[in-house]
Amino acid sequence: MEITRHDEDEVYEASWTGDVEYLNRLIEKDPEILRRISLQTGKIGTPLHVSALLGHVEFTKALCTNNPKLGERVDVDGRTPLHLASAEGHKETIEPLLSVYAEGHKKIHV
């Protein structure tokens, strides 16, 4: 099975709608898809940037669980998904992002 850029674009589409079931199907089809996405950051960042910005709590949790490194990526303006969720006041979305950040940095002061 050949993986195309189209599959990665579908992860971005799912992040706009917050469709966790669709994300899970994409990961099942290609378990490495989120790893590849974490190695690149487009103009709008990663799918986690989109999900955090829009306040999709369950989708954000799913991405953080499947690839915590996405939480460390910055968009073209140097913002992490945590910055975007915070700026929009998405308190429930901030929690899984803080967990990922704390795991990667051992301790965070809020």
Side-chain angles (χ1 to χ4, degrees):
M1 168 177 60
E2 183 175 323
I3 305 302
T4 65
R5 175 73 184 153
H6 176 73
D7 294 325
E8 293 163 17
D9 290 343
E10 289 182 28
V11 176
Y12 279 93
E13 284 181 37
S15 70
W16 284 100
T17 62
D19 190 341
V20 177
E21 289 180 27
Y22 187 40
L23 173 66
N24 289 335
R25 286 193 306 271
L26 291 169
I27 293 170
E28 186 176 308
K29 178 180 172 186
D30 176 11
E32 297 297 315
I33 196 165
L34 294 180
R35 185 183 61 77
R36 282 196 314 281
I37 286 175
S38 72
L39 298 174
Q40 62 194 26
T41 305
K43 187 174 183 178
I44 60 171
T46 69
L48 187 54
H49 284 84
V50 175
S51 180
L53 178 69
L54 298 175
H56 295 307
V57 178
E58 295 305 316
F59 198 90
T60 297
K61 286 179 184 177
L63 287 174
C64 288
T65 299
N66 284 288
N67 189 340
K69 290 197 179 283
L70 289 173
E72 300 171 3
R73 304 296 294 162
V74 296
D75 64 12
V76 294
D77 295 317
R79 299 171 301 190
T80 65
L82 180 59
H83 289 128
L84 298 175
S86 298
E88 292 297 317
H90 298 306
K91 294 176 186 175
E92 296 84 15
T93 307
I94 292 169
E95 291 178 29
L97 295 167
L98 283 175
S99 296
V100 167
Y101 187 81
E103 284 291 316
H105 295 87
K106 300 294 180 207
K107 204 167 203 184
I108 187 168
H109 300 283
V110 183

